[in-house]
Amino acid sequence: MKTEEKKIEKIYHQAEECPITVFMEQIGGKWKPVIIWVLLLNEVMRFNELDKAIKGISQKMLSQQLKDLEKINIINRKSYPVIPPKVEYRLTKKGKSLKENLTKIMEWSNQNLK
Amino acid sequence: MKTEEKKIEKIYHQAEECPITVFMEQIGGKWKPVIIWVLLLNEVMRFNELDKAIKGISQKMLSQQLKDLEKINIINRKSYPVIPPKVEYRLTKKGKSLKENLTKIMEWSNQNLK
DNA sequence: TAATATACTTACTAAATCGTAAGTACTTGT
DNA sequence: ACAAGTACTTACGATTTAGTAAGTATATTA
């Protein structure tokens, strides 16, 4: 009885600041993983290229998600002062380090989901 | 030019039925990964135990998410016809096979996020 | 002169997700 | 007679997330 209570308590604390939750909040969602994946396949991409490459995303969503990912240092934005504008996006080192994780998730998903 | 167009087209198709998106839809979200994680740490858990173990979750959310995870065969629900009711939840083989993925995500998150 | 190109932003609407509080069913213990 | 225990469900409202459509800036091209 006592031991069981303690066991649950331990899990409780682990779930509290769960790193997986943090991950899902920052890298999860409908568009972020796809953006990262597309940038893993293509070193450098411009806004329009990303827009075309990612089916169904709107410009609003794309720009928003890119901003979010830039903030947490997953992608790098390089803009050239030309007209018409030119902006390049690429993954940072941190962003690239997600490759193994995303590949594993992809494999698991292919084998196990619908 | 032509080759570049083709390249993007290829990525487009890969993004189309993206397995990562499927994964996020089915295993992602605010509570599902945590539920799975807690069940990875504790082979068998009852409803109330899960409720206590997962900070902040409501009974409604818990029961909803458990149902979702049962549908895609990640967890198994075993109910005993007793009063007061007793229901046991445990991961299926498929559910357990998520361990490596979640562990890797946890590690990456600990090293790279906030 | 007007359309084109690029990388956005803004305003508004719709849909999905989440949270709170209360209720249900049934038996055992006080 | 009434509270306690267990595993939920239901109704409602709030919050978050996503989608649509239009607009902005400015040089180049037709």
Side-chain angles (χ1 to χ4, degrees):
Chain A
M1 286 287 167
K2 275 257 169 69
T3 49
E4 254 194 74
E5 272 166 28
K6 244 178 199 161
K7 216 167 153 194
I8 305 262
E9 187 115 18
K10 193 183 159 205
I11 293 164
Y12 176 90
H13 285 304
Q14 286 175 335
E16 203 166 359
E17 311 196 342
C18 180
I20 298 171
T21 300
V22 174
F23 182 93
M24 289 293 164
E25 278 168 15
Q26 300 196 24
I27 316 285
K30 186 166 180 184
W31 299 116
K32 293 200 181 81
V34 182
I35 292 171
I36 295 167
W37 184 254
V38 165
L39 279 172
L40 276 167
L41 296 180
N42 244 39
E43 181 91 10
V44 189
M45 289 185 92
R46 298 181 59 184
F47 188 86
N48 270 351
E49 291 179 334
L50 283 161
D51 196 25
K52 278 173 211 147
I54 300 170
K55 199 196 168 183
I57 199 170
S58 68
Q59 292 183 323
K60 175 195 161 192
M61 276 296 122
L62 180 55
S63 116
Q64 202 171 94
Q65 307 299 302
L66 286 170
K67 225 181 256 176
D68 290 350
L69 290 172
E70 207 196 343
K71 254 182 214 152
I72 58 170
N73 202 35
I74 297 291
I75 63 169
N76 180 266
R77 191 189 114 105
K78 188 173 182 180
S79 114
Y80 298 86
V82 294
I83 284 182
K86 174 174 178 180
V87 182
E88 287 177 350
Y89 294 94
R90 63 194 82 209
L91 292 173
T92 61
K93 204 176 163 187
K94 196 200 263 189
K96 283 179 192 160
S97 76
L98 275 166
K99 185 169 190 178
E100 209 197 319
N101 271 303
L102 292 183
T103 305
K104 282 266 163 66
I105 288 173
M106 251 188 76
E107 284 168 13
W108 189 93
S109 181
N110 276 328
Q111 284 164 19
N112 295 282
L113 299 178
K114 189 186 69 219
Chain B
M1 284 288 169
K2 274 260 168 68
T3 49
E4 253 195 74
E5 272 166 27
K6 242 178 200 159
K7 217 167 152 194
I8 303 261
E9 187 116 16
K10 194 183 157 206
I11 293 164
Y12 175 90
H13 286 304
Q14 285 177 334
E16 204 167 357
E17 311 196 342
C18 179
I20 298 170
T21 299
V22 174
F23 181 93
M24 288 294 164
E25 277 168 16
Q26 301 196 23
I27 316 285
K30 187 167 179 184
W31 299 115
K32 293 199 182 80
V34 181
I35 292 172
I36 295 167
W37 184 253
V38 165
L39 279 172
L40 276 168
L41 297 179
N42 243 41
E43 181 91 11
V44 189
M45 289 185 91
R46 298 181 60 182
F47 188 85
N48 270 351
E49 291 178 335
L50 284 161
D51 195 26
K52 277 173 211 146
I54 300 170
K55 199 196 168 183
I57 199 170
S58 67
Q59 291 184 322
K60 174 195 163 191
M61 278 294 121
L62 180 54
S63 116
Q64 202 170 95
Q65 306 299 304
L66 287 170
K67 226 181 255 176
D68 290 350
L69 290 172
E70 207 196 343
K71 256 183 211 151
I72 58 171
N73 202 33
I74 296 292
I75 64 169
N76 180 265
R77 193 189 112 104
K78 188 174 183 181
S79 113
Y80 298 86
V82 295
I83 286 182
K86 175 176 177 178
V87 181
E88 287 177 350
Y89 293 94
R90 65 194 81 206
L91 292 174
T92 60
K93 204 177 166 187
K94 197 201 263 190
K96 281 179 194 162
S97 76
L98 275 165
K99 186 169 189 177
E100 209 198 320
N101 272 303
L102 292 182
T103 306
K104 283 266 161 67
I105 288 172
M106 251 189 76
E107 284 168 13
W108 190 92
S109 180
N110 276 327
Q111 284 163 18
N112 295 283
L113 299 179
K114 188 187 69 218

